[in-house]
């Protein structure tokens, strides 16, 4: 018996020879022949081969195709000099009509059947372990001398003909401080599944219990480790099971074919290819990935909207990277609820101001284009007004179609929970993300104040309660957009509001959002969210992470997304429509072309142009 300690430094052809002679008493090839690519193996009848190849190309995260053999060809010249696929894996599985009917050390007894069969060699994450170690990151399963953990997820692969299954992933515990390094080290290795497809809570992938992997061994997490998940070639095994082929063979999970190919060398990269990792939720724990280039563009948007033309002192409320984190969170959301409406003009009918609705509609428009569910909640008193504004926004081409309009009243202690979740069950939220933009926010004394310290509580429905309830529902995240500190969600910066904003000690909103976007004018915050969501959707690194590396990049939809963004023309038409409905400028109550007392032309129009 060969000792396992020396196996990591053996050359691939020597290792294959030892495996062929059946001289190893080990259970997997993790950590062997360091620096060389390893491969998953799927062997199918030639009649299925073309469809399986298409299935691999459609799901190239889990199934990066290294080589496809000719029928009956046991060699793979582009991967290795002297191999024989019948003997060169540690162990094989045999599948008949979708059922695993045994494990084998060799496929030689099936040589006759193999003459009509095609072998697929697919990339494997064992290939990137050396790169991960070189980056100073521990590989826990190698430390713990066990196989990597593999799990079936609830994520469906892109189906091709009879090949359909859910994604299988490997999990590696990574210390939180090393997350970005781990993503960087593995994103190089496109043929070894590339960057992770999920970082954080396993439940978000539909994995119930990390201690019970579907394949491989449980791997122990150290304190401070985060579970990180990579697409896994065992996905191919699940596809073989589901296609119910009369006869098929695969490697036994963890028992890879070792190739003579060296791992990809790290290349110097542009900011488009360098990934960043950002935490977007604590409960459940969830990180997202974005390119450094896209992140920088979004930081630029944040700077553009952060100017303070009204000289209110909002510079002191600004928190860095909140726009980026909020938009990453919204990008992962399936269903979004937006609220707006600040009835500052209590002496007029309607009392609404024209900062808020345009920003809310800009966000709704991009969410529609991204095919997310979106609804708007506002005051019962203003339902008819908002209904008319939405109808006209559709006619103007700002919205693709009408947005459902909801109202919220407190009828009992659990009204907010009933509104946000199906039957009030926190395990079944209707919305993943709540956005308040220029929405009157409740102060510490329970009242609602405009910037002139006038209490307008009689005009405001208690939509704040939805944001408070969201804090208790796992998986529901909130964003507040404001420009003065008295808006819903600004509770996160209330200390700065009390210190730096006129009458801040009275008017400051007390209700927090997870993310707070501070803008010179709240509408600008809405425009910036729309532009940031466009940037994220067109970022290849982020798109791949969102799709979990299955299916295809949605390149054809780029034109639709672009046409949903705000423009000077759209906003000009919308402002005129608001004025026709008696919706006035915030500071001056004017019905002219202005918002917050600032002229539309040469102020708002310039910001829109800069954002685009």
């Amino acid at each position: 018996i060969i000792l396992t300690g020396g196996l990591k430094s053996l050359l691939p052809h020597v290792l294959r020879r030892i495996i062929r002679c059946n001289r190893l008493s080990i259970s997997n090839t993790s950590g062997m022949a360091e620096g060389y690519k390893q491969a998953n193996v799927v062997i199918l009848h030639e009649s299925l081969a073309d469809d399986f190849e298409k299935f691999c190309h459609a799901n190239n995260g889990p199934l990066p195709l290294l080589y496809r053999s000719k029928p009956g060809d046991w060699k793979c010249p582009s991967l290795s000099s002297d191999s024989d696929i019948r003997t060169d894996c540690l162990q094989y599985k045999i599948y008949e009509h979708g059922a695993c009917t045994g494990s084998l050390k060799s496929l030689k007894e099936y040589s006759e059947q193999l003459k009509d069969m095609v072998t697929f060699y697919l990339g494997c994450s064992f290939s990137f372990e050396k790169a991960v170690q070189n980056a100073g990151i521990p590989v826990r399963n190698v430390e713990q001398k066990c196989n990597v953990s593999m799990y079936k997820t609830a994520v469906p692969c892109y189906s091709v003909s009879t090949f359909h299954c859910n994604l299988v992933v490997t999990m590696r515990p990574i210390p939180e401080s090393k997350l970005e390094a781990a993503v960087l080290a593995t994103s190089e290795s496109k043929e070894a599944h590339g960057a992770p497809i999920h970082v954080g809570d396993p439940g978000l992938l539909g994995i119930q219990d990390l201690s019970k992997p579907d394949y491989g061994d449980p791997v122990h997490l150290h304190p401070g480790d985060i579970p990180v998940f990579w697409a896994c070639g065992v996905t191919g095994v699940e596809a073989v099971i589901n296609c119910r082929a009369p006869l098929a063979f695969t490697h036994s999970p963890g028992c890879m074919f070792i190739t003579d190919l060296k791992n990809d060398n790290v290349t110097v990269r542009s900011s488009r290819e360098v990934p960043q990792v950002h935490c977007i939720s604590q409960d459940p724990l969830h990180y997202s990935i974005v390119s450094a280039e896209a992140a920088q563009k979004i930081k630029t948007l944040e700077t553009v909207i952060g100017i303070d033309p009204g000289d209110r002192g909002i510079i002191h409320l600004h928190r860095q990277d909140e726009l980026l984190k909020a938009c990453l969170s919204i990008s992962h959301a399936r269903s979004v609820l937006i609220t707006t409406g600040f009835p500052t003009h209590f002496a007029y009918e309607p009392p609404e101001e024209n900062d808020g609705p345009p920003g809310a509609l800009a966000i709704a428009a991009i969410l529609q284009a991204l095919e997310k569910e979106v609804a708007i909640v506002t005051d019962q008193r203003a339902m008819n007004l908002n209904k008319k504004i939405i109808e006209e926004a559709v006619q103007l081409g700002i919205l693709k179609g009408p947005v459902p309009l909801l109202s919220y009243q407190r009828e009992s202690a659990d009204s907010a929970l009933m509104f946000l979740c199906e039957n009030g069950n926190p395990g079944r939220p209707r919305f993943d993300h709540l956005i308040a933009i220029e929405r009157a926010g409740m102060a510490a004394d329970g009242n609602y104040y405009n910037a002139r310290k006038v209490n307008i509580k009689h005009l405001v429905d208690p939509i704040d309660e939805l944001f408070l309830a969201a804090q208790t529902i796992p998986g529901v995240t909130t964003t507040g957009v404001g420009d003065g500190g008295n808006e819903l969600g600004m509770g996160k910066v209330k200390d700065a509001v009390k210190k730096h904003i006129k009458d801040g000690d009275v008017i400051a909103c007390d209700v927090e959002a997870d993310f707070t976007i501070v803008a010179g004018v709240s509408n600008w915050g809405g425009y910036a969210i729309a532009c940031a969501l466009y940037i994220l959707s067109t970022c290849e690194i982020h798109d791949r992470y969102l799709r979990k590396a299955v299916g295809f990049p949605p390149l054809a939809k780029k034109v639709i997304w672009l046409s949903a963004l705000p423009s000077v023309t759209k906003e000009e038409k919308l402002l005129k429509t608001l004025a026709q409905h008696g919706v006035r400028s915030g500071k001056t109550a004017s019905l002219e072309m202005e918002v917050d007392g600032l002229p539309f032309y040469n102020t708002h129009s310039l910001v829109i142009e800069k954002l685009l």
Side-chain angles (χ1 to χ4, degrees), residues 196-494:
I197 56 93
H198 178 63
V199 180
D201 191 309
L204 294 169
L205 292 177
I207 299 167
Q208 300 309 317
D209 186 348
L210 280 184
S211 69
K212 295 176 182 157
D214 295 294
Y215 299 100
D217 302 318
V219 177
H220 175 68
L221 277 81
H222 290 211
D225 279 356
I226 306 290
V228 180
F229 299 86
W230 279 265
C232 172
V234 176
T235 304
V237 174
E238 289 292 309
V240 165
I241 291 169
N242 288 345
C243 88
R244 299 177 186 277
L247 181 67
F249 304 98
T250 71
H251 70 294
S252 190
C255 302
M256 302 300 167
F257 174 82
I258 296 168
T259 77
D260 293 342
L261 298 184
K262 282 271 203 190
N263 283 323
D264 314 322
N265 284 331
V266 177
T267 48
V268 178
R269 309 193 300 173
S270 71
S271 64
R272 183 174 298 151
E273 297 169 313
V274 173
Q276 289 184 1
V277 179
H278 294 274
C279 184
I280 56 170
S281 162
Q282 287 296 336
D283 182 21
L285 187 63
H286 192 193
Y287 294 79
S288 190
I289 298 180
V290 63
S291 73
E293 179 188 54
Q296 187 50 54
K297 284 180 182 171
I298 292 170
K299 286 176 188 186
T300 305
L301 299 179
E302 198 167 43
T303 308
V304 169
I305 64 170
I307 57 170
D308 186 6
D311 228 9
R312 296 183 183 182
I314 62 149
I315 194 95
H316 303 288
L317 315 185
H318 183 73
R319 296 283 176 278
Q320 210 179 344
D321 289 346
E322 293 280 289
L323 178 65
L324 174 61
K325 287 179 185 172
C327 290
L328 283 169
S329 175
I330 297 164
S331 179
H332 283 271
R334 190 184 30 85
S335 175
V336 180
L337 181 68
I338 302 171
T339 183
T340 190
F342 208 122
T344 189
H345 301 302
F346 53 91
Y348 292 93
E349 181 51 45
E352 264 61 36
E353 64 160 303
N354 61 9
D355 188 19
L361 293 180
I363 299 168
I366 192 75
L367 293 175
Q368 283 183 333
L370 293 169
E371 295 172 29
K372 296 183 187 294
E373 290 174 31
V374 56
I376 292 176
V377 60
T378 190
D379 302 301
Q380 182 65 50
R381 166 191 65 66
M383 286 293 271
N384 275 340
L385 171 66
N386 279 283
K387 193 164 171 275
K388 285 177 192 155
I389 292 167
I390 288 171
E391 281 167 6
E392 298 201 29
V394 174
Q395 285 166 7
L396 292 170
I398 292 167
L399 292 173
K400 196 166 64 176
V403 177
L405 202 52
L406 312 170
S407 67
Y408 168 75
Q409 303 293 323
R410 180 190 171 92
E411 278 147 21
S412 66
D414 60 352
S415 287
L417 210 55
M418 292 300 289
F419 183 94
L420 291 174
C421 304
E422 287 177 37
N423 303 321
N425 173 5
R428 304 195 60 192
R430 289 194 177 97
F431 310 100
D432 316 299
H433 203 108
L434 275 51
I435 303 172
I437 173 166
E438 191 64 21
R439 168 73 198 170
M442 186 168 63
D445 63 3
N447 290 320
Y448 294 80
Y449 295 96
N450 68 10
R452 287 176 287 285
K453 217 163 69 169
V454 176
N455 183 4
I456 51 172
K457 185 175 181 173
H458 61 291
L459 296 171
V460 182
D461 290 348
I463 288 168
D464 304 62
E465 291 178 9
L466 301 179
F467 280 66
L468 291 168
Q471 294 170 7
T472 69
I473 306 168
V476 181
T477 316
T478 57
T479 295
V481 184
D483 57 17
N486 56 346
E487 303 90 356
L488 177 50
M490 291 287 133
K492 187 173 181 180
V493 293
K494 64 185 174 190

